Amino acid sequence: QVQLVESGGGLVQPGGSLRLSCAASGNIFIINGMGWYRQVLGRQRELVARMMRDGSTDYANAVKGQFTISRDNAKNTVYLQMNNLKPEDTAVYYCYADTIPRPGLYWGQGTQVTVSS
């Protein structure tokens, strides 16, 4: 079993910043890809950012230049630095990790980010 625990969400004003964290534990072996999705009520879950173990990254066009993903492989932890937050960034943010050599896909519990004045 692999567990992912998220933290860092909350209520912020437009223009503010948040840093999300997600730590994996359990029978991980090796984490290959790790990253973040977000979901607004009534809409499909969308990829925000992801990072492979080699450091390569992908970002949604909407957050390029605004969000930065990073990870600490030794701690099995991924972070999402979110700057200049806008109301349209309001969503539940879910982290994920996929593992090798025993293939698996795991999700965090979700953390609410609300951007409002």
Side-chain angles (χ1 to χ4, degrees):
Q1 294 290 328
V2 175
Q3 298 82 41
L4 275 65
V5 178
E6 303 179 31
S7 62
L11 173 65
V12 297
Q13 295 181 347
S17 297
L18 286 173
R19 186 177 187 244
L20 306 184
S21 299
C22 177
S25 62
N27 298 122
I28 297 171
F29 292 94
I30 298 172
I31 296 176
N32 187 17
M34 204 170 191
W36 299 89
Y37 283 71
R38 66 185 179 187
Q39 187 167 28
V40 178
L41 183 64
R43 306 191 70 85
Q44 291 186 330
R45 188 174 298 187
E46 66 175 0
L47 177 69
V48 177
R50 61 186 170 193
M51 180 179 287
M52 308 307 291
R53 190 171 181 85
D54 66 4
S56 61
T57 59
D58 293 292
Y59 290 92
N61 288 335
V63 306
K64 288 180 179 177
Q66 181 188 356
F67 293 0
T68 303
I69 190 170
S70 61
R71 62 186 279 184
D72 185 334
N73 291 337
K75 296 181 178 179
N76 292 319
T77 300
V78 65
Y79 307 92
L80 187 68
Q81 180 67 46
M82 305 187 294
N83 296 326
N84 192 28
L85 284 162
K86 305 170 184 177
E88 51 263 43
D89 295 317
T90 295
V92 178
Y93 286 71
Y94 297 90
C95 70
Y96 85 92
D98 68 90
T99 58
I100 54 174
R102 183 173 67 89
L105 177 62
Y106 303 92
W107 293 93
Q109 80 279 11
T111 185
Q112 176 71 48
V113 172
T114 301
V115 185
S116 177
S117 59

